[in-house]
Amino acid sequence: MTDRPLRIGIIGSGFGALSVAIELTRAGHSDVRLWERADSLGGVWRDNTYPGAGCDVPSPLYSFSYAQSTRWHRRYGLQDQILEYLHDTAAAFGITPRIRFSHEVVAAAWDEETTSWTVTFGHGGTDTVDVLVPAIGQLSRPVLPAVPGIDTFEGPSFHSAEWDHSVDLTGTKVAVVGTGASAIQLVPPVAEQAAEVTLFQRSANWILPKLDGPFARWYKPMIRFERPLFWAAAEQFSRGLDDQSRVGRLNQKWAEHHLRRQVPDDALRAKLTPDYPIGCKRILFSNNYYPTLALPHVHVVTERISEVTPTGVVAADGSVHDADVIIYGTGFDAQDFLSSIDVTGRDGTKLATQWVDGAHAYLGIHAPRFPNLLISYGPNTNLGGGSIIYMLEAQARHMRQVVDRMAAGAYRRVEVTESAEAEYDRSVQDELEHSAWAHCDSWYRHRSGRITSNWPGSTHPYARRTRTLEPGAFTWA
Ligand code: NAP
C-alpha cells in the first residue's frame, strides 16, 4: 500500500451515491470522486419529472438524518423540492465539485495485480480507483411493455420516467398504461388537463390515505420532531409485511375502508379491489387517485392490452380505445442489478453470470469474487415500507468502516467469503418465504422466483447488522 489516500470511485449521484460520498469525506477520506451519466445530479429525483411526482414517505423521514430540513413545503415532498434538497445537501457537504458529469460508466474490471478497479466510460475514457461503489439505484432503467404495435402509434408516447414536457395534454385523449406508484401520482393531474383518460389496469393495488398537507410557517421548526414518530410508524408498517401479521390485516381493513369511502360506485370499486393480500405488491398512498377514477371522463379498463395501433389501444376483448397520447407508467428493469455495467471481478468472473438466477450479496453490499466492490442499494435492501434513505445511510456507515479499516491496516483488498455470503443469503431468503411478497408477482421478484429486491421486515435489524464488521466474514490482505 502506498502513502497516498485510497482512491474511491462512486457511480451515480442520487441519494445512495451522495450518502456514501458524504460519509467517506466526513470521515476524512479525501480522494472520493463520483461519476454521473447525466449532466446534473439527483438520480430518480432528477429523472422522474412527471406531473404529481413526489414521495409517498414523509420528508422528515425521507431525508438524511444529519441534514434535516425545516424548509419542506409539505409533509410529502414533491419532486422539485426533493431534487432541490439533494442539490443543497451535495453542495453543503462539498460533494458537488467531486462529481464528473456526463461520465456514464459502462464497464468495470478488477485487476488483482494492482488491486484496483478500472472503469470505462461510454465516451471511451477510463479511470482507476482502489475501491468502487456502484450506486445506480434499482429503478434507473425504464421499461416499456412488450405489446405488439407499440412502435406504430402515431401520436406522442413516453414513459413516466421520461416525461415529454413539450406535449400539451389540454383537451386530449390520453391512454395511461399501469397503475403503480408512478401512475397513481400522474393520473390525477393528467385528468385535470385531458378531455378523456383511459387507464389500463392489469392489477389493482391496495391504497392507503396520506396524512398530507402543507406545513404552516410557524410549524416548520417542528418538522424534525416528526422524524422519530414516522420512523417508529414505518417500522410497525414494515413488520406488517410479514404474511401472518396482525398489522398487515389492520392495514388491509384500512385500505378497504379507504376504497369504500372514496369509491361509492360498486362496479368501479369491484374493478379497483385487488385479488391478493395487502403488501404483496407495494402498498400505495394517495388521497386523490380514487376520486379521479370516479370522474366521468376517466375510464378504467381491466382487460389486458392486446395491441397498440397507430391511433390507440386495442384491449383483449376487442374494444378499441382511441388516444392522442399514450403514457406508460410501466415501471423499471429492477431485477437485473447493475446490468447496465459490464462488471468483471477476479478470475474473469462476470457479475451478470454470478447473478444469473437473481442477485445476492452479503448485506446487499459485498459479492464474493468482487474484491473492493461495495454496492449501494444492492440486492435485498429495498423496502416495502419506510424510508430507503435510512437503509442507504446504514450502508454508507458500513462502507466507511470497511474503508477506514483498509486505510488503517494498510490493506489492499477486502473480499467477503463465499460461506459468509451464502449463509447470509440463506437466512434472508428463509425470512422472505414468510413475507407478503411471496404471494404474487411484482418487481421485487426475479424471474427465477427469488425475491431479490427487498429486505425482510423492519429496518432497525439491518442497521444493527451493518453496524460492525463481522469477524470472519471477510478476507483482508
Ligand atoms: P411499477 O410499480 O413497476 O408499476 C408498473 C405498472 O405497470 C404496474 O401497474 C404493472 O402492472 C403495469 N404494467 C407493466 N407492464 C404492463 C403491461 N404490459 N400491460 C399493462 N400494465 C402493465 O412501476 P412504478 O409505478 O414506476 O413504480 C416503481 C417503483 O418506484 C415503486 O414501487 C416505488 O418503489 C418507486 N416509486 C416511489 C414513489 C414514491 O412515492 N416513493 C413514486 C413512484 C415510484 P402489474 O402490477 O400487473 O405488473
Side-chain angles (χ1 to χ4, degrees):
M1 187 68 130
T2 61
D3 290 339
R4 62 170 168 71
L6 282 167
R7 297 164 299 175
I8 300 149
I10 301 172
I11 310 173
S13 69
F15 265 109
L18 294 181
S19 69
V20 179
I22 292 170
E23 184 73 29
L24 292 178
T25 52
R26 283 173 100 193
H29 298 286
S30 57
D31 193 346
V32 176
R33 65 202 77 169
L34 297 85
W35 304 291
E36 166 54 55
R37 66 179 172 178
D39 57 7
S40 64
L41 64 81
V44 291
W45 296 108
R46 174 200 60 225
D47 294 341
N48 286 269
T49 60
Y50 58 80
C55 191
D56 60 9
V57 177
S59 291
L61 185 57
Y62 193 84
S63 49
F64 294 117
S65 59
Y66 46 79
Q68 287 294 290
S69 172
T70 53
R71 297 191 359 222
W72 296 113
H73 298 321
R74 53 191 312 121
R75 182 166 287 123
Y76 292 83
L78 295 174
Q79 176 265 340
D80 55 349
Q81 210 188 3
I82 298 171
L83 185 59
E84 183 185 298
Y85 171 80
L86 283 172
H87 276 274
D88 290 351
T89 309
F93 287 89
I95 306 303
T96 316
R98 296 173 179 274
I99 307 175
R100 298 170 189 181
F101 293 106
S102 307
H103 276 64
E104 179 174 17
V105 174
V106 294
W110 170 251
D111 184 337
E112 190 69 54
E113 196 95 327
T114 57
T115 56
S116 62
W117 282 96
T118 294
V119 296
T120 305
F121 304 110
H123 55 57
T126 62
D127 200 354
T128 299
V129 290
D130 302 300
V131 175
L132 181 63
V133 182
I136 62 172
Q138 295 190 11
L139 302 166
S140 54
R141 295 185 305 281
V143 168
L144 292 177
V147 176
I150 191 165
D151 293 330
T152 66
F153 185 65
E154 283 169 355
S157 66
F158 44 86
H159 189 276
S160 56
E162 294 168 337
W163 197 267
D164 185 345
H165 290 277
S166 70
V167 177
D168 181 3
L169 297 177
T170 312
T172 57
K173 281 186 185 169
V174 181
V176 178
V177 184
T179 53
S182 302
I184 70 155
Q185 292 183 342
L186 69 88
V187 165
V190 165
E192 278 175 24
Q193 284 184 280
E196 216 173 303
V197 176
T198 306
L199 176 63
F200 291 88
Q201 172 190 278
R202 190 165 68 178
S203 314
N205 282 297
W206 290 108
I207 300 179
L208 291 173
K210 269 172 156 179
L211 297 171
D212 200 7
F215 283 130
R217 188 192 292 259
W218 64 265
Y219 185 77
K220 292 199 175 190
M222 254 89 83
I223 291 177
R224 67 200 163 94
F225 296 119
E226 293 196 353
R227 182 180 172 86
L229 298 177
F230 280 114
W231 181 78
E235 290 295 87
Q236 285 306 321
F237 183 84
S238 295
R239 286 192 194 107
L241 296 170
D242 183 285
D243 64 357
Q244 296 302 319
S245 155
R246 198 168 59 88
V247 180
R249 287 196 296 277
L250 284 174
N251 275 340
Q252 177 146 342
K253 292 248 169 300
W254 190 16
E256 284 164 355
H257 172 73
H258 185 50
L259 176 60
R260 266 197 311 276
R261 205 170 60 83
Q262 291 205 316
V263 183
D265 180 78
D266 288 342
L268 180 58
R269 203 169 57 248
K271 282 184 182 178
L272 299 176
T273 304
D275 59 3
Y276 57 87
I278 196 163
C280 184
K281 288 178 194 284
R282 192 173 186 275
I283 299 174
L284 308 180
F285 296 85
S286 176
N287 299 335
N288 59 358
Y289 177 65
Y290 286 147
T292 300
L293 302 191
L295 295 172
H297 70 297
V298 179
H299 319 290
V300 179
V301 176
T302 53
E303 288 290 331
R304 296 281 170 119
I305 296 172
S306 62
E307 188 187 1
V308 175
T309 68
T311 54
V313 178
V314 181
D317 61 355
S319 56
V320 176
H321 305 269
D322 288 343
D324 302 313
V325 182
I326 304 180
I327 297 165
Y328 295 101
T330 43
F332 300 85
D333 172 9
Q335 281 308 318
D336 294 317
F337 282 75
L338 291 180
S339 64
S340 59
I341 304 172
D342 178 17
V343 185
T344 312
R346 71 171 158 81
D347 307 324
T349 310
K350 295 280 184 189
L351 196 57
T353 309
Q354 184 154 310
W355 286 353
V356 71
D357 292 325
H360 48 97
Y362 177 76
L363 302 173
I365 299 173
H366 304 268
R369 289 187 278 278
F370 293 83
N372 299 11
L373 184 78
L374 306 175
I375 304 161
S376 168
Y377 198 12
N380 294 112
T381 64
N382 182 56
L383 301 174
S387 173
I388 196 64
I389 316 304
Y390 182 88
M391 298 289 278
L392 298 176
E393 279 189 36
Q395 287 160 21
R397 283 194 299 272
H398 174 89
M399 291 180 195
R400 193 244 308 139
Q401 290 184 67
V402 173
V403 174
D404 279 353
R405 177 142 188 213
M406 288 181 81
Y411 294 115
R412 297 172 65 97
R413 76 196 288 295
V414 56
E415 183 180 342
V416 68
T417 66
E418 305 245 356
S419 56
E421 195 275 333
E423 174 54 30
Y424 174 84
D425 184 49
R426 243 191 319 277
S427 70
V428 169
Q429 290 299 322
D430 283 352
E431 279 195 61
L432 285 166
E433 268 183 31
H434 309 290
S435 71
W437 308 309
H439 298 295
C440 70
D441 279 333
S442 70
W443 68 263
Y444 301 149
R445 279 182 101 132
H446 187 261
R447 42 193 177 276
S448 64
R450 280 170 57 95
I451 298 167
T452 45
S453 290
N454 284 8
W455 167 252
S458 54
T459 57
H460 184 60
Y462 182 79
R464 206 173 45 231
R465 238 186 120 183
T466 47
R467 197 165 291 147
T468 50
L469 299 179
E470 200 179 321
F474 304 98
T475 55
W476 304 84

